[in-house]
Amino acid sequence: MSIMDYNGGALIGMKGKDCVAIATDKRFGIQAQTVSLDFTKVFQINPHTFMGFPGLATDIFTVYEKIMFRKRLYELKENRKISPKALASLVSNLLYENRFSPFFVEPMIVALDEVTLEPYMCDMDLIGCVNKSDNFVVGGTSSSQLYGLCEALWEPDMEEDQLFETISQALVSACNRDAISGWGAKVYIIKKDKIIVRDIKTRMD
């Protein structure tokens, strides 16, 4: 088993009309053994910026703390909120600096630009190669299932409710086909005036 699959997990970021969404399962496990049903894999970086971390659970929190440290330094120096594009460069540089002893996480950024409110999404591999997307990004042990479902279900310019339904159906269906992810899910819908957080019931076996 790959070290990236050791703790399981599944994440999706998806773009809608003037909004974006990120969804994650709640399971934390050690290979096939389930340890917790409320594990955080998505973090709010700024009012309209969220990051998801598929990968090794211990490295998730290490990388998150390092990113927040550098993000605060950037905002103190620049006297403004960090943009999603600048955040992607910051995270990419952090991962590439450690390429010879990498952190086993593949971060994804889902955001609305703080100034223009334009949707922004990207993900990256464990050494920081950025892949910007205009429709959806996926990560975790369910990636192959998530790709197929998102390709089938995603449509451009989805409104908030349709976006929630699409991302939820994709995540739940993919987790049903992956033994080391699932056990509940959480969806974040990011709009210019509010953040909507919803819990989803999934199979618990």
Side-chain angles (χ1 to χ4, degrees), residues 25-28 34-41 61 182-186 188 199:
D25 71 326
K26 296 182 178 181
R27 180 186 183 272
F28 165 62
T34 299
V35 177
S36 168
L37 306 181
D38 193 18
F39 184 70
T40 303
K41 302 185 185 87
F61 293 101
W183 291 73
K186 186 170 282 191
Y188 303 79
D199 288 315

Side-chain angles (χ1 to χ4, degrees), residues 75-93:
E75 292 181 344
L76 281 170
K77 181 180 178 181
E78 297 288 328
N79 197 28
R80 60 188 171 94
K81 295 288 186 185
I82 191 169
S83 69
K85 188 175 181 181
L87 179 64
S89 296
L90 183 153
V91 177
S92 177
N93 289 337

Side-chain angles (χ1 to χ4, degrees), residues 18-20 48 112 160 189-196:
D18 300 322
C19 59
V20 287
H48 296 97
L112 296 178
E160 169 195 330
I189 308 290
I190 303 143
K191 302 184 70 179
K192 64 181 179 181
D193 55 347
K194 60 183 175 180
I195 308 294
I196 302 165

Side-chain angles (χ1 to χ4, degrees), residues 59 62-67 70 89-105 125-129:
D59 282 355
T62 302
V63 172
Y64 169 69
E65 292 297 333
K66 287 178 178 289
I67 288 168
R70 295 190 182 198
S89 296
L90 183 153
V91 177
S92 177
N93 289 337
L94 170 65
L95 296 176
Y96 192 70
E97 283 173 12
N98 295 275
R99 63 193 179 278
F100 297 117
S101 180
F103 296 111
F104 295 109
V105 293
D125 63 11
L126 52 82
I127 61 168
C129 178

Side-chain angles (χ1 to χ4, degrees), residues 133-198:
S133 174
D134 292 323
N135 43 31
F136 57 83
V137 290
V138 302
T141 57
S142 305
S143 293
S144 56
Q145 292 93 337
L146 289 168
Y147 267 119
L149 287 158
C150 290
E151 288 282 2
L153 298 175
W154 183 84
E155 297 175 1
D157 298 326
M158 289 187 291
E159 296 290 347
E160 169 195 330
D161 291 338
Q162 187 183 0
L163 179 63
F164 169 73
E165 184 69 23
T166 302
I167 198 169
S168 301
Q169 290 288 353
L171 184 67
V172 170
S173 297
C175 289
N176 285 344
R177 292 163 174 81
D178 179 22
I180 56 174
S181 64
W183 291 73
K186 186 170 282 191
V187 179
Y188 303 79
I189 308 290
I190 303 143
K191 302 184 70 179
K192 64 181 179 181
D193 55 347
K194 60 183 175 180
I195 308 294
I196 302 165
V197 183
R198 293 175 178 164

